[in-house]
Amino acid sequence: MLARALSSAAKKASSDQIPLHTGRQRLVILGSGWAAARLAHDIDPKHFDITVISPRNHMVFTPLLASTTVGTLEPRSVAVHMHEIQPALSRPSNGLFIAEAESVDPVARSVTCHSTDGVRFEVPYDKLAICTGSLGSTFGVPGVLEHAHFLRDVKQAEAIRQRLIENLAQAGIPGRSTEEWQRLLHIVIVGGGPTGVEVAGELTDFIAHDLGKVYPDRAKAMRVTMVEARELLGSFDASLREYAARKLMKRGVVLKKGVVQKVTATEVVLRDGTVLPYGLCIWSTGVGPTPFTLSLPFMKTAAGRLAVDGGLRVLAQPPPGPGPANGAAGGAGPAPGGSAQAQASGAKAQAAKGPAAAHQSGKPGPAPMPGLLVDESETPPTRHLAPVPGVYALGDCCANPDHPLPALAQVAEQQGRYLAKVLNEAARGPRYGESSLPPPPPDFMYRHLGSMATVGGHSAILELGDASSRTLSMAGVVSWLAWRSAYLTRLGSIPKRLSVAFDWSMTLLFGRDLSRW
């Protein structure tokens, strides 16, 4: 009894600390990805108390994540702590909670969360930004969750590196059969997008420059196969796709066109009957919504993303009967295909199987923008919907059905910058002599800056502009230098830039480390 009482008191005491009341509006940010990090960085802490809720305490610089799979970069070099992004999080009125959001109550304006050890608590909000991102999509292929490796965060990158080094060690055990030897030294990458291509390029560098010095026999036997159902780097110009394919094939990568039927513990089986025995399978085929996103009582697009308007405000069914034109705080409409309760139950069932299995109803199709992997055109009209007061969605977890955007880091970052500007200007109020009712902010406008990808060695492809108005396309060493320079300058702080530059220098001078932890 005493133990239970103490435990209950501890939970109550912890919840009483959330939050301190200062009179400022409380902005709650769910997630720590590109959109969340940019919003947290740009929001003015003089006008908002900030609470960040995320299972991790850092933001991952995803463009450099492929380099950590083979030890080109250390994991800590691509992870930026949220306190480094927004130092004001250390103030007593603000907070960073390492927890997962369970549900959102738009009537009470609160978020229910739970920590990794099961402690549940609620956080009230005045403004809520849902930036929970997406999960790797399996498209319903059996065995992917159990046997394949995704590459979306530092833990997954470390798991790939550990599996790679483990396979190299197991291949050297005396008595190993030839079939097992070949299987352990075969890497299958499913997905020919920028992530898959960059991982293939890093692997070929690792095999050519580092593995050959330590295990020359295993380096000669190593094989990398890339499976793609459509076009390699489909969002790039045809000449750049051809250049990338030529470079990868020259470096020993086998490009296989096909659709995966199933994945077992040792084989990738294609629909045409081809069987690819593997020691390491990396899955990089696109993204889908998270169980949390699917469980929210707001409108969803045909692909399961939260439906938002031009101002990134979450949309829902307006309440029945007379009411304000913009909808009551509790307006919560069912997503296409079922009620909110049914979707929540389905999301929980999918979560029990694995996070990436949450949603595979997105229909692959041609993309009007680079990287768009789902068709949002089947979303019902949203003219009758109303924005939920104080609730916004940014990044991969949402889409404007009228103008869907690709699930790209630069989209999420621009949305975070836009929302921070809108909230800051609204909180500051009108300037002296101006009307007390400022005009509504303009809708979010996305500007596609371009796309880049390395293909191994000192080669990369670079494309500025979008598919309708490409201003520059080039490949080779100059593109590779531009790729490194651009991402080095994009890192959030000088210590991280120095860390990445140091790792690159160490890899160039002394090679990659093959130690197994």
Side-chain angles (χ1 to χ4, degrees), residues 13-338:
S14 65
S15 63
D16 287 345
Q17 298 170 6
I18 308 168
L20 295 178
H21 297 286
T22 64
R24 292 186 287 262
Q25 295 188 74
R26 177 158 298 277
L27 170 64
V28 175
I29 303 173
L30 304 183
S32 57
W34 283 88
R38 189 72 205 197
L39 175 59
H41 178 272
D42 288 3
I43 201 69
D44 190 347
K46 296 179 181 178
H47 297 285
F48 289 92
D49 291 332
I50 309 166
T51 299
V52 177
I53 303 170
S54 175
R56 65 191 189 196
N57 63 359
H58 60 273
M59 172 252 190
V60 178
F61 196 79
T62 49
L64 298 178
L65 195 57
S67 298
T68 65
T69 60
V70 295
T72 304
L73 295 176
E74 291 295 322
R76 69 174 184 272
S77 298
V78 300
V80 185
H81 199 282
M82 289 301 293
H83 279 84
E84 190 174 348
I85 294 172
Q86 177 50 270
L89 288 174
S90 60
R91 298 177 184 175
S93 59
N94 301 328
L96 170 61
F97 302 139
I98 310 305
E100 292 189 18
E102 289 182 0
S103 61
V104 174
D105 186 343
V107 177
R109 292 205 174 200
S110 67
V111 182
T112 302
C113 313
H114 69 271
S115 64
T116 54
D117 59 351
V119 177
R120 299 179 77 249
F121 59 95
E122 291 186 1
V123 179
Y125 69 83
D126 296 296
K127 305 292 184 183
L128 174 65
I130 303 173
C131 316
T132 48
S134 57
L135 293 173
S137 178
T138 67
F139 296 102
V141 177
V144 175
L145 294 175
E146 295 81 4
H147 308 298
H149 289 261
F150 294 85
L151 183 57
R152 297 184 60 78
D153 59 35
V154 173
K155 286 186 178 180
Q156 293 173 340
E158 286 188 309
I160 291 174
R161 183 175 180 274
Q162 290 295 320
R163 182 64 178 271
L164 173 63
I165 296 175
E166 196 172 279
N167 287 348
L168 292 171
Q170 291 180 358
I173 300 298
R176 185 76 63 186
S177 67
T178 303
E179 292 77 10
E180 271 294 285
W181 162 278
Q182 293 175 344
R183 181 187 70 81
L184 288 169
L185 299 179
H186 186 202
I187 302 171
V188 176
I189 302 172
V190 182
T195 299
V197 168
E198 290 187 343
V199 171
E202 290 284 351
L203 285 169
T204 57
D205 284 347
F206 168 74
I207 295 169
H209 301 302
D210 303 289
L211 187 60
K213 298 176 182 178
V214 183
Y215 305 121
D217 54 339
R218 289 169 231 183
K220 294 179 181 178
M222 283 288 292
R223 295 177 297 144
V224 179
T225 300
M226 178 175 291
V227 180
E228 170 56 45
R230 301 179 192 172
E231 294 288 338
L232 184 74
L233 296 171
S235 62
F236 285 81
D237 180 75
S239 61
L240 296 181
R241 296 203 303 268
E242 182 182 2
Y243 174 87
R246 187 169 64 250
K247 281 291 183 180
L248 290 174
M249 293 174 65
K250 186 177 180 180
R251 298 178 68 84
V253 178
V254 177
L255 303 180
K256 175 72 175 178
K257 189 176 182 64
V259 178
V260 177
Q261 184 177 30
K262 66 177 180 178
V263 179
T264 69
T266 58
E267 295 176 338
V268 173
V269 182
L270 306 185
R271 286 185 184 176
D272 62 4
T274 303
V275 177
L276 302 173
Y278 72 87
L280 171 62
C281 176
I282 301 174
W283 193 269
S284 176
T285 59
V287 296
T290 65
F292 171 72
T293 301
L294 292 172
S295 71
L296 293 176
F298 307 131
M299 190 68 181
K300 315 294 191 311
T301 68
R305 303 163 80 180
L306 293 173
V308 297
D309 63 8
L312 304 182
R313 298 176 296 179
V314 171
L315 299 175
Q317 293 282 359
N326 62 347

